[in-house]
Amino acid sequence: MNPESTLNLLKASLPDGKLPSSFGVYFKNTLVALCHALEDHLLQIGELTGEKPLVLVTFQEGKWYLQEADRYFEIAKLCHHIAISAVPDSGFSEHPTGQLDNVSLINLEPSDGLVEEWNLLIIAPGYRAMVLCQELSESEYLVNAKPTIDTERKFYGLWTFEQTIVDQTAEILINRFRKYNLELGDRLWEYYQNITATPNPTFPDLSTVVSRIVTYLQSSQQELISVNRQNRQLWQWEGQAKRVSRNLSANKLQALLRMAQQVDKRDPFNPCASLQVAALCETIGQILDLPTLKLRRLKLAGLLHRIGLASAPPEVFLKTPEEMDEATQKFWRDRASISGRLLESMPELTVVQKVVNHHLENWDGSGVPDGQKGEQINIKARILGLVSYFQELTQPRVSRPALTLTDALNECQKYSGTRFDPDLVNSLATVIRLTEVGLMQLPTQPTQLPNIWLEESTNPANQ
C-alpha cells in the first residue's frame, strides 16, 4: 500500500497504530455499495434533522459517472459544504453540481496518490461516517491477476462511524487539500471546527444506515456473482448455489460482528464486554441444559447485544448513566431497541434479534421496550439481561470502580424478582461460588460459533 496514502497516514497518526477492524480488501462494487449506503442515509435524514454536514469526497482516477454527479447535486442541497477531489478531466466543472456555491472542486495532479483513492467522509454535528479506500497497485496483484472487469478491481479500505477516527482522517484530508488551494483549506478547516464544536447536537439513530450497509453488501455480492457468471461456465456456479447463499449470509454477519468489535474498541473501560457477556451467557445456558441451537443463538446475541452503540456519542462510554445529559441518556435507554432494529437487516437472525431487542425487559414488567413480564420474556433474553448487567458491574466506569464478583452478584440479587428472574440469579450465584472456591474459571470468551446457527428452525422448541 502506498506509504503516502490517506490510509497509511491515518494508521501512523493513531496512538496504537491499528486501523478499525473493518479494514480489509474490498471489491470495487462493494466499495460503491458502502458509499451509496452512507449517501442514501444522508439524503433520508438531512431534511428531518436540519443538520448540514461537511462532506469530503475523493473519486479514484476521476471516475465520475453522470448518475453520481446527479446524485451529489441532490446531496449538496442538504450539506453545509462538499469538497470533491479528482483529476481535472473528470467532468466536474461542466456538470451543474460543480457550479453550486457550496461545492468546491480540487483538481488533483496525476502524480498525487489521491488519484488512486476513493474516499467519502461525512462530518455532521451528531454523527460521523466514513469510507476510506486505496486501490491495490500493479505490483500488489498477483502476476497476470489484475482484473479486467471493473467491478472486480480491489481496494484496501475501511468503513467506520467512530468519531475520533473520522475526525483524524478529516484533518489529514484537509491538510492534503491545502497544497492545491490554501484559502479553501482554511475554509474547510473552519467548517470542520464549527461542526465539531456544535453544542448539544442531536444524535440520530444510525441503525437504518447500518441496515443499508448490510443490505448493500449483500446486493453488491449478488451483482458480482451475476457479472462473473457471464464470464465463467454456467455449470460451475449452478452447482454451488447453496454455498453462495451461505457466503452471502456470512458476509452480512461479518459486517455486523465487525461493528460489534468496533463498539468494544470504543469503550476504554469495558473493551471485552461482548466476548465476556457471550461467554458467561453460554455458561449459564449450559447449567440450565439449554438445547444446542438455543445456546448458539444465545452466544451470538451476547456478541451482538451492544451493536446499537455503534452510533453512540462518546459520552456513552465516558460517563455513567447518571452523568449523561438528557439526549445521551435517551440513547442509552433505547440501546436494546436500536440494536434490535439494526439486526432486522438480516432475516437469518430473527430469533437473535428478538433476544437482543428484549434483553432489557424486567421480570416484574417494568422494562423496555414492551413491558413483558415473567415467563413472557424469552429465557435467552432473560439470561442476556442479567449477564450484561453483571458483567458491566465487574468493570470500572469513569469514577465508579469495578466491583468484585461477589459484590456484583450482591447487586444482582438486590433485583431478584424485580428486574431479574430469581432462578437465573441463583444460577449465576452458583457459577460465582464455584469460581471463588477455585472449582471453575469464569469464561472470558465463548466457544467457537459453527455455521449451523444460521439454519432456520421451524420447531417452536428452538425459538
Side-chain angles (χ1 to χ4, degrees):
M1 184 164 56
N2 184 348
E4 296 181 357
S5 69
T6 306
L7 271 170
N8 255 334
L9 293 174
L10 172 63
K11 181 179 180 181
S13 70
L14 297 176
D16 56 3
K18 292 183 179 179
L19 294 171
S21 57
S22 64
F23 174 71
V25 176
Y26 292 82
F27 285 113
K28 179 182 176 181
N29 69 321
T30 303
L31 162 61
V32 173
L34 288 169
C35 289
H36 282 181
L38 299 185
E39 292 161 0
D40 283 353
H41 178 71
L42 198 161
L43 287 168
Q44 181 188 46
I45 72 166
E47 294 183 359
L48 298 177
T49 64
E51 294 184 343
K52 293 184 177 295
L54 170 64
V55 176
L56 307 177
V57 189
T58 301
F59 283 94
Q60 185 260 353
E61 293 183 352
K63 299 295 186 185
W64 179 252
Y65 304 104
L66 180 60
Q67 62 269 31
E68 296 290 345
D70 294 339
R71 186 181 185 82
Y72 270 84
F73 188 86
E74 297 302 319
I75 292 173
K77 297 176 183 177
L78 305 171
C79 295
H80 184 74
H81 200 86
I82 298 179
I84 300 172
S85 58
V87 293
D89 61 356
S90 57
F92 294 154
S93 57
E94 294 81 17
H95 192 277
T97 302
Q99 311 301 318
L100 296 173
D101 291 338
N102 67 331
V103 174
S104 297
L105 305 180
I106 300 156
N107 293 323
L108 300 176
E109 297 172 355
S111 59
D112 193 329
L114 278 172
V115 301
E116 299 295 336
E117 299 187 21
W118 192 323
N119 306 321
L120 170 62
L121 280 71
I122 301 174
I123 301 101
Y127 79 99
R128 308 288 194 273
M130 175 174 76
V131 175
L132 190 65
C133 295
Q134 162 83 41
E135 185 169 14
L136 272 65
S137 66
E138 190 92 28
S139 62
E140 288 172 315
Y141 283 104
L142 297 176
V143 178
N144 298 323
K146 186 168 184 178
T148 56
I149 301 171
D150 190 55
T151 53
E152 291 186 347
R153 288 160 56 198
K154 296 178 181 179
F155 292 74
Y156 295 109
L158 62 85
W159 52 274
T160 185
F161 301 100
E162 190 169 345
Q163 178 176 330
T164 54
I165 292 180
V166 179
D167 286 353
Q168 185 67 37
T169 308
E171 294 178 15
I172 291 171
L173 274 180
I174 290 172
N175 282 331
R176 296 190 74 176
F177 293 162
R178 283 183 189 275
K179 77 171 189 176
Y180 291 98
N181 188 327
L182 183 60
E183 186 271 334
L184 173 61
D186 290 341
R187 280 195 291 125
L188 292 176
W189 182 256
E190 182 180 354
Y191 299 152
Y192 165 73
Q193 293 279 39
N194 289 340
I195 288 174
T196 56
T198 302
N200 303 317
T202 301
F203 303 112
D205 175 4
L206 291 185
S207 61
T208 54
V209 69
V210 177
S211 297
R212 275 199 184 92
I213 285 177
V214 174
T215 300
Y216 280 35
L217 283 172
Q218 180 186 26
S219 299
S220 66
Q221 291 289 336
Q222 290 171 331
E223 289 168 5
L224 186 58
I225 289 168
S226 178
V227 169
N228 284 336
R229 288 183 64 174
Q230 299 171 18
N231 297 278
R232 294 176 176 89
Q233 295 182 18
L234 185 61
W235 63 268
Q236 289 181 306
W237 289 98
E238 295 299 339
Q240 300 174 11
K242 288 186 178 180
R243 183 173 64 83
V244 169
S245 177
R246 292 192 188 100
N247 286 343
L248 293 175
S249 294
N251 286 337
K252 290 190 289 182
L253 177 61
Q254 185 183 48
L256 295 173
L257 288 172
R258 281 181 171 178
M259 185 161 293
Q261 290 174 325
Q262 289 180 3
V263 169
D264 281 358
K265 287 183 177 181
R266 290 185 63 195
D267 190 342
F269 297 100
N270 200 358
C272 298
S274 299
L275 284 174
Q276 292 182 3
V277 167
L280 187 51
C281 280
E282 180 181 20
T283 300
I284 299 293
Q286 289 170 335
I287 289 177
L288 298 175
D289 199 24
L290 292 184
T292 301
L293 188 57
K294 282 190 176 182
L295 273 178
R296 288 168 177 158
R297 287 168 169 165
L298 176 58
K299 286 187 290 185
L300 192 60
L303 290 171
L304 296 173
H305 79 284
R306 299 213 305 173
I307 196 170
L309 298 181
S311 58
E315 289 76 15
V316 163
F317 304 104
L318 302 177
K319 294 182 178 181
T320 63
E322 296 76 21
E323 296 169 335
M324 298 175 187
D325 60 29
E326 184 176 348
T328 309
Q329 278 187 344
K330 183 179 186 308
F331 196 105
W332 177 250
R333 289 193 301 268
D334 294 343
R335 64 192 184 280
S337 297
I338 295 173
S339 296
R341 287 196 296 273
L342 195 155
L343 295 176
E344 287 176 349
S345 64
M346 191 170 177
E348 297 93 331
L349 294 181
T350 296
V351 175
V352 174
Q353 182 271 336
K354 290 179 180 178
V355 174
V356 171
N357 191 53
H358 292 289
H359 82 275
L360 295 183
E361 303 281 6
N362 290 339
W363 184 252
D364 63 3
S366 63
V368 293
D370 296 333
Q372 292 181 354
K373 182 177 181 181
E375 299 287 343
Q376 293 177 341
I377 310 169
N378 185 284
I379 181 66
K380 298 186 292 297
R382 281 180 267 154
I383 294 172
L384 179 58
L386 171 62
V387 170
S388 60
Y389 179 73
F390 171 83
Q391 192 276 340
E392 172 72 19
L393 292 177
T394 64
Q395 308 299 313
R397 179 65 63 187
V398 199
S399 58
R400 176 182 63 76
L403 299 185
T404 65
L405 298 182
T406 298
D407 288 343
L409 174 62
N410 290 338
E411 289 298 310
C412 294
Q413 289 174 327
K414 290 179 183 179
Y415 296 107
S416 178
T418 53
R419 285 183 65 174
F420 304 124
D421 179 344
D423 291 338
L424 293 184
V425 175
N426 290 336
S427 296
L428 177 61
T430 299
V431 173
I432 301 308
R433 292 187 186 112
L434 290 173
T435 300
E436 289 180 329
V437 298
L439 293 180
M440 69 173 290
Q441 288 185 332
L442 204 63
T444 57
Q445 63 181 39
T447 56
Q448 185 176 1
L449 279 170
N451 290 332
I452 193 172
W453 66 264
L454 282 170
E455 297 175 9
E456 295 191 30
S457 172
T458 56
N459 184 350
N462 287 328
Q463 303 299 308

